[in-house]
């Protein structure tokens, strides 16, 4: 942002000092609010203040007081990500990068630094790299994928089902996506605690993040070399053999992009869905009553708690206007996913059910829309559903108020989700589902929390019209029902 001009709408440029009495006084240089430090500990409240003060597009400060715009409006975010003629993902265009204020020593440098990958490329180069990634993804067999997700879920549940208690973040949500992604990339033997912890470490940006990143890069580089020498039917091989002819370095960097983006998004999504199912009375009642499916719960979570709350960033390629604000060439903008999802213009009532509405911003939009969103949805859908089938009496083992999050500008990650349930026996997961086998009956789900509702309002299990509680029909399930259950991997 540059402070020396006025907007074409006649409004003073908002990087200048605010007028006397403005609530932004004292926040930072120019009176701008910071997206870091004490004021940013509650970003949801901060976004509300910014929306009230500035509207759909607000000037803010990043670490080291680097100025940037945060886009708060749903429509304005969609316009930004869908207009590549005005906004690009190439951070080399950003004035703050060019003048060194957001250089290699900046705390957010890993998020800012340009890389030769499809999510930063433009024009023909973007089409070449993105085409290779989407082409490789198109070869994934989604029926086989869902069966693998189910088996991976059973293996994880087997590790804690006999204990009657678990942390569904550390023992489930953080492991299931990695197990599935290693299978997709063609390196199932690499899935273990070490790669999970290394990926979590580098995403948190700890003191050992550089070493963790080198470990993950080494794993992916070796996988690239193996598949270059001996291709198989997996994502890595199809990426290598795509007509775009990616170099080994390009293949490794795109494996890194797919692994990290998909892992963090899906781990957060699974944790958020499980928390909502366990704590929100609307979800408990609707899931137990058969009125809301797990996929519908996933979509509601993508509205209310998107896995990434903001993405840095987009950069203006020319002078333009967005949300009534003058955006100068070289300005940086934050893609505001979480604030955009609660824009009063599209969600005047945040308690309203968003079933069937996929217009949230969780997976971006435009040329850089997430190409693997259906895979993330599948891992969450099948994984959560299979978990609830194994432990239908699962309930939160602490007060909801005791749950803790690790939050940053870009995401809000649930630290742990402690639960308890009646101990369950191990399940044999070595046999593949039989195509014509009679599917097992789905047990009665009783997803609850420790809170006890008044007797007059509490739903009575004996009267809940759940499908699983009905007597076994005398005839076989129909062909379509058998096919659906086979498709889901049961």
């Amino acid at each position: 942002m540059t402070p020396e001009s006025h907007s074409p709408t006649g409004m003073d440029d908002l990087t200048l000092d605010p007028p006397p009495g403005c609530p932004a006084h004292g926040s930072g240089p120019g009176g701008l609010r910071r997206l870091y430090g004490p004021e940013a500990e509650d970003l949801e409240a901060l976004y509300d203040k910014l929306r009230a003060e500035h509207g759909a597009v607000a000037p803010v400060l990043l670490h080291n007081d680097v100025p940037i715009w945060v886009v708060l409006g749903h429509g304005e975010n969609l316009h930004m990500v869908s207009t590549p003629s005005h906004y690009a993902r190439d951070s080399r265009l950003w004035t703050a990068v060019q003048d060194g204020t957001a250089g290699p020593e900046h705390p957010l440098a890993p998020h800012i630094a340009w890389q030769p990958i499809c999510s930063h490329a433009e024009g023909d180069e973007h089409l070449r790299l993105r085409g290779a990634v989407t082409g490789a993804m198109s070869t994934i067999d989604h029926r086989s994928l869902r069966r693998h997700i189910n088996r991976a879920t059973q293996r994880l549940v087997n590790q804690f089902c006999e204990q009657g208690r678990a942390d569904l973040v550390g023992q489930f949500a953080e492991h299931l996506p990695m197990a599935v992604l290693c299978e997709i990339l063609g390196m199932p033997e690499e899935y273990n605690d070490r790669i999970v912890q290394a990926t979590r470490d580098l995403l948190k940006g700890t003191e050992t993040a550089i070493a963790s990143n080198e470990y993950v890069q080494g794993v992916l580089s070796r996988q690239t070399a193996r598949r270059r020498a001996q291709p198989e039917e997996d994502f890595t091989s199809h990426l290598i053999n795509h007509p775009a002819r990616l170099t080994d370095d390009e293949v490794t960097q795109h494996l890194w992009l797919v692994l990290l983006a998909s892992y963090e998004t899906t781990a957060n999504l699974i944790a958020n869905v499980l928390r909502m199912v366990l704590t929100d009375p609307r979800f408990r009642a609707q899931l137990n009553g058969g009125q809301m499916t797990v996929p519908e719960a996933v979509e509601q979570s993508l509205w209310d708690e998107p896995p990434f709350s903001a993405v840095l960033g987009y950069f203006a390629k020319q002078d333009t206007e967005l949300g009534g604000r003058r955006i100068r060439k070289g300005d940086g903008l934050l893609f505001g996913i979480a604030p955009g999802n609660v824009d009063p213009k599209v969600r005047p009532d945040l308690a309203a059910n968003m079933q069937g509405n996929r217009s949230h911003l969780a997976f971006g939009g435009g040329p850089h829309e997430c190409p693997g969103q259906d895979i993330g949805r599948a891992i969450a859908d099948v994984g959560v559903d299979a978990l609830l089938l194994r432990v239908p009496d699962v309930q939160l083992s602490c007060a909801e108020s005791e749950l803790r999050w690790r939050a940053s500008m870009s995401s809000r990650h649930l630290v742990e989700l402690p639960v308890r349930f009646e101990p369950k026996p191990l399940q044999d997961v070595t046999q593949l589902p039989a195509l014509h086998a009679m599917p097992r009956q789905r047990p009665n789900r009783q997803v609850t929390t420790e809170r006890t509702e008044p007797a007059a309002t509490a739903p009575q299990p004996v009267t809940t019209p759940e499908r699983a509680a009905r007597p076994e029909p005398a005839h076989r399930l129909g062909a379509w029902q058998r096919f659906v259950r086979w498709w889901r991997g049961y």
Side-chain angles (χ1 to χ4, degrees):
M1 275 180 284
T2 52
E4 67 274 16
S5 65
H6 297 277
S7 105
T9 61
M11 298 179 64
D12 288 340
D13 189 292
L14 293 170
T15 60
L16 293 172
D17 287 339
C22 174
H25 259 306
S27 297
L32 301 184
R33 295 187 182 275
R34 294 183 171 100
L35 287 187
Y36 68 100
E39 187 182 18
E41 289 180 358
D42 186 349
L43 278 174
E44 183 178 350
L46 178 56
Y47 288 143
D48 287 341
K49 292 177 183 177
L50 290 168
R51 200 191 307 272
E53 293 168 8
H54 301 291
V57 180
V60 294
L61 298 171
L62 292 182
H63 300 68
N64 294 355
D65 287 343
V66 175
I68 196 168
W69 299 96
V70 58
V71 186
L72 306 169
H74 186 275
E76 288 75 12
N77 271 297
L78 281 179
H79 176 77
M80 178 180 68
V81 301
S82 303
T83 313
S85 59
H86 289 178
Y87 306 97
R89 293 293 317 278
D90 188 343
S91 61
R92 295 173 297 182
L93 300 172
W94 193 11
T95 301
V97 168
Q98 295 173 359
D99 65 20
T101 56
E105 302 304 317
H106 192 273
L108 297 178
H111 298 271
I112 296 170
W114 180 86
Q115 299 177 62
I117 53 179
C118 64
S119 58
H120 292 171
E122 297 293 320
D124 291 343
E125 184 66 359
H126 173 260
L127 293 176
R128 181 180 78 90
L129 297 174
R130 169 93 177 193
V133 172
T134 56
M137 284 188 174
S138 70
T139 65
I140 296 173
D141 182 341
H142 282 261
R143 284 179 292 182
S144 296
L145 174 64
R146 295 176 79 87
R147 292 196 293 274
H148 179 76
I149 297 167
N150 183 54
R151 291 195 296 273
T153 298
Q154 307 310 330
R155 293 188 183 97
L156 289 172
V157 175
N158 274 354
Q159 295 177 13
F160 57 74
C161 64
E162 294 180 307
Q163 301 170 16
R165 64 185 184 279
D167 166 21
L168 293 184
V169 172
Q171 294 178 269
F172 187 74
E174 292 183 348
H175 279 264
L176 180 60
M178 185 61 72
V180 176
L181 287 167
C182 284
E183 178 75 19
I184 289 174
L185 300 186
M187 50 181 208
E189 70 285 353
E190 297 288 356
Y191 166 66
N192 53 36
D193 288 344
R194 185 179 182 188
I195 194 170
V196 170
Q197 297 308 319
T199 304
R200 290 240 54 82
D201 186 52
L202 73 91
L203 287 167
K204 288 186 288 187
T206 66
E207 294 180 354
T208 56
I210 294 177
S212 294
N213 186 53
E214 289 176 351
Y215 168 73
V216 174
Q217 289 272 6
V219 169
L220 298 175
S221 179
R222 291 192 296 273
Q223 172 67 3
T224 299
R226 282 195 298 267
R227 289 297 179 259
R228 180 74 75 179
Q230 187 176 359
E232 295 186 9
E233 288 297 319
D234 53 43
F235 178 89
T236 304
S237 300
H238 288 292
L239 188 63
I240 290 172
N241 295 323
H242 190 272
R245 302 180 66 84
L246 271 61
T247 65
D248 281 4
D249 184 59
E250 288 175 329
V251 171
T252 299
Q253 291 305 314
H254 283 85
L255 292 180
W256 181 88
L257 174 66
V258 169
L259 182 71
L260 264 68
S262 300
Y263 172 76
E264 176 72 357
T265 300
T266 311
N268 283 349
L269 177 58
I270 292 172
N272 290 341
V273 170
L274 286 170
R275 186 197 66 80
M276 295 178 75
V277 168
L278 290 167
T279 62
D280 191 323
R282 296 173 304 165
F283 282 82
R284 293 203 310 274
Q286 290 177 306
L287 276 168
N288 286 340
Q291 299 170 20
M292 175 177 282
T293 64
V294 171
E296 288 168 340
V298 168
E299 292 305 318
Q300 184 72 36
S301 175
L302 289 169
W303 274 103
D304 296 339
E305 293 185 293
F308 284 106
S309 50
V311 173
L312 175 67
Y314 280 77
F315 309 96
K317 299 168 70 173
Q318 62 185 48
D319 289 357
T320 185
E321 187 176 326
L322 184 66
R325 302 288 180 249
R326 184 174 184 179
I327 309 299
R328 301 298 302 272
K329 179 180 179 180
D331 281 359
L333 303 97
L334 276 173
F335 175 32
I337 299 172
N341 275 359
V342 296
D343 184 350
K345 292 183 179 179
V346 296
R347 294 186 69 187
D349 179 9
L350 294 181
N353 197 308
M354 300 302 287
Q355 286 187 38
N357 189 334
R358 285 194 172 189
S359 59
H360 52 72
L361 303 173
F363 294 115
H368 296 289
E369 183 175 12
C370 175
Q373 57 186 278
D374 289 339
I375 294 174
R377 281 189 174 100
I379 296 174
D381 291 348
V382 178
V384 172
D385 193 51
L387 171 70
L388 295 178
L389 284 170
R390 286 289 301 278
V391 287
D393 58 337
V394 62
Q395 56 184 304
L396 200 62
S397 62
C398 70
E400 182 180 353
S401 60
E402 296 177 5
L403 295 176
R404 296 178 296 111
W405 279 264
R406 183 173 55 252
S408 67
M409 183 188 68
S410 60
S411 66
R412 185 169 179 261
H413 186 81
L414 189 62
V415 175
E416 60 182 358
L417 189 63
V419 297
R420 69 171 186 269
F421 48 87
E422 286 298 318
K424 303 294 189 299
L426 298 176
Q427 181 169 305
D428 181 11
V429 296
T430 59
Q431 295 183 348
L432 295 176
L435 179 60
H436 299 294
M438 190 68 176
R440 68 180 185 273
Q441 282 294 300
R442 297 166 67 88
N444 190 10
R445 288 185 185 149
Q446 298 174 357
V447 183
T448 61
T449 67
E450 286 191 314
R451 295 177 298 180
T452 57
E453 303 293 333
T457 59
Q460 300 300 317
V462 295
T463 59
T464 302
E466 295 181 349
R467 181 173 49 200
R470 296 175 183 173
E472 178 73 44
H475 57 279
R476 284 174 58 87
L477 294 175
W480 174 250
Q481 292 171 300
R482 295 198 304 274
F483 171 76
V484 168
R485 294 198 177 192
W486 167 75
W487 171 279
R488 298 180 72 180
Y490 302 140

